[in-house]
């Protein structure tokens, strides 16, 4: 008889990191559900393979056997258990991947050729972690401290952050090109937000944080005590305080720092906040601000119904459902973003539109209103130029009354065939304002099947094309672009453009979210900024962002897994 295979399975993970204890003084853990599969030792699965290679000591450890019975176990001293590190990292990477696939309604690939992302939980001796496209891998460092080793592979936030870099790089490879302070900051801010919302959607985490900051005698709490300030100052900030700041450099402190940023319109224009990590915090703070508002709206709504009292469970449910829905919104937004030169305002319009498509009515909890307000509190306005008086502020405009030609392309193959989509682009290049003198490539065509909360489904096809052209500074004016001051005529550069095409169920173009290659409004500030920064022809790498470190494979295999101690490297 063929055995019934469960589609999902459960793992118990370290909820935040081993320094964060629950009310029982034990390490706070949480149970997560991920896609089920038959794992090879490592664990090595269909999308993620853990390879326990230590580049600092040049040892490749024997892969750990996977036993289903272990999945719900967290050892008393997780630091000392190499097999648990592997399992914990695998499970969290898979959870983030599955979360992206659920939000986008399709499979999501990595940025490199190949299906399996390599994950090295003990890659090097340093307090750092990074994603490297060239190595198809995420590397986690470890570091000795007086109390024992600190492992970045035991931090939920760090794992989710690095996995998000890998996923965004697959969905939007153009975001590592040099462009603007916003684009440079986006990867970091977005990775922080996915990490934070992933953590805030865990019941164990929110329950523990709430228990720490409210009297536990009663199952009911007075709603008026849970003001936005109290939630921010007590519950969330309490959570942030617990996340070890010293341990993980810039990662573990994201929640703590972002939540404290004052709502000041001047920040975004200041020199300090043009630096990518600082600017990424503004992005994170805008979304966190929205989270707080919506959570508070939900608590008030419960309070109105129950004579000013809310149940603890209701408060926790409010947080995890809000975090979960916001996570869906921000991930779906990626599909509605232009593939090059992203500004925070574009992302905001993309998020609003992505949510509107499935939930036209925002009146119950006001997700989109809160997002608009969150970004506005730092001076970021929606990128949409949709005319006033349209359904809702900030939504992308549809292509309007432009008569596009559909009769020379086949609707069915437009759902998956890049050549067919390219033909559609070429046929309609005038109406879609696509330059025919640049190198143009349809990078991806993805049919999507997105689920709404009420059982409503939305079928869309998302196609992404990119354009680029190399030219010298002296040629800029021929294309209507301005040359930055003091730039010599012979400086060579690449100009990027491109768009995301969203087709509806019937194969009609619903949205065209693009940055035109010959748009002076977009390209002139970009060129000026990059020229002034001296970063005109550079490309951001995560290895450089986090830490430069190469992984070599010329090593011996250790006879069996051993605890990480100084001097245990056997050749
Ligand atoms: Zn990062």
């Amino acid at each position: 008889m063929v055995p019934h295979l469960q589609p999902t399975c459960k793992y118990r993970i370290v909820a935040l990191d081993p320094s964060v204890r629950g009310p029982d003084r034990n390490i706070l853990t949480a149970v997560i559900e991920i896609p089920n599969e038959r794992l090879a030792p490592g664990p090595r699965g269909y999308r993620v393979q853990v390879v326990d290679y230590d580049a600092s000591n040049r040892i490749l450890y024997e892969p750990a056997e996977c036993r289903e019975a272990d999945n719900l176990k967290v050892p008393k001293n997780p630091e000392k258990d190499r097999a648990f590190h592997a399992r914990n990292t695998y499970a969290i990477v898979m959870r983030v991947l599955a979360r992206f696939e659920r939000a986008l309604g399709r499979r999501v690939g990595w940025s490199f050729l190949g299906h399996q992302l390599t994950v090295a939980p003990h890659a090097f001796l340093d307090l750092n972690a990074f994603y490297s496209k060239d190595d198809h891998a995420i590397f986690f460092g470890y570091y000795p401290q007086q109390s024992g080793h600190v492992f970045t592979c035991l931090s939920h936030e760090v794992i989710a952050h690095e996995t998000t870099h890998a996923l965004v790089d697959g969905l939007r490879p153009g975001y590592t090109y040099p462009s603007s302070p916003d684009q440079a900051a986006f990867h970091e801010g977005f990775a922080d937000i996915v990490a934070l919302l992933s953590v805030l959607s865990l019941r164990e985490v929110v329950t523990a944080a709430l228990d720490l900051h409210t009297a536990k005698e009663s199952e009911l709490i007075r709603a008026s005590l849970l003001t936005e300030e109290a939630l921010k100052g007590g519950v969330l900030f309490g959570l942030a305080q617990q996340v070890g700041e010293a341990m993980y450099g810039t990662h573990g402190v994201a929640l703590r720092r972002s939540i404290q940023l004052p709502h000041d319109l001047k920040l975004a224009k200041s020199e300090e906040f043009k630096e990518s990590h600082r600017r990424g915090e503004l992005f994170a703070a805008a979304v966190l601000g929205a989270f707080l508002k919506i959570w508070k709206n939900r608590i008030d709504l419960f309070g109105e119904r129950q004579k000013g009292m809310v149940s603890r469970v209701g408060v926790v449910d409010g947080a995890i459902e809000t975090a979960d829905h916001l996570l869906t919104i921000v991930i779906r937004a990626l599909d509605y973003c232009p593939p090059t030169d992203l500004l925070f305002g574009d992302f905001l319009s993309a998020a609003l539109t992505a949510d509107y498509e499935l939930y036209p009515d925002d009146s119950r909890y006001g997700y989109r209103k809160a997002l608009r307000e969150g970004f506005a509190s730092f001076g970021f306005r929606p990128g949409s130029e949709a005319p006033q008086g349209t359904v809702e502020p900030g939504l992308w405009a549809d292509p309007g009354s432009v008569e596009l030609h559909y009769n020379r392309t086949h609707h069915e193959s437009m759902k998956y065939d890049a050549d067919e989509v390219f033909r559609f682009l070429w046929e309609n290049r005038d109406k879609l304002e696509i330059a025919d003198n640049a190198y143009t490539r349809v990078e991806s065509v993805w049919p999507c099947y997105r689920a709404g909360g009420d059982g409503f489904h939305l079928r869309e096809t998302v196609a992404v094309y990119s354009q680029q052209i190399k030219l010298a500074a002296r040629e800029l004016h021929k294309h209507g672009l301005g040359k930055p001051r003091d730039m010599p005529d012979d400086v060579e550069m690449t100009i990027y453009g491109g768009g995301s095409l969203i087709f509806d169920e019937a194969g009609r173009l619903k949205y065209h979210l693009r940055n035109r290659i010959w748009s002076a409004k977009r390209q002139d500030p970009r060129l000026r900024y990059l020229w002034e920064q001296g970063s005109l022809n550079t490309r951001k790498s995560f290895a450089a962002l986090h830490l430069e470190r190469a992984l070599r494979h010329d090593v011996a295999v250790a006879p069996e897994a051993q605890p990480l101690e100084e001097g245990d490297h056997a050749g």
Side-chain angles (χ1 to χ4, degrees), residues 43-51 89-90 92-94 96-97 109-120 130-140 159 162-167:
R44 282 168 43 239
Y46 71 112
R47 299 300 307 281
V48 175
Q49 48 179 355
V50 176
V51 177
T89 320
Y90 160 80
I92 295 174
V93 175
M94 280 302 285
V96 179
L97 168 66
W110 307 113
S111 62
F112 46 83
L113 285 176
H115 307 284
Q116 291 159 303
L117 175 78
T118 297
V119 169
F130 64 85
Y131 153 68
S132 164
K133 177 178 178 167
D134 293 341
D135 296 296
H136 304 190
I138 304 178
F139 301 121
F140 296 92
I159 301 169
E162 298 308 327
T163 309
T164 305
H165 277 319
L167 287 162

Side-chain angles (χ1 to χ4, degrees), residues 161-162 165 188 251 546:
H161 179 108
E162 298 308 327
H165 277 319
E188 288 307 317
H251 293 298
H546 293 188

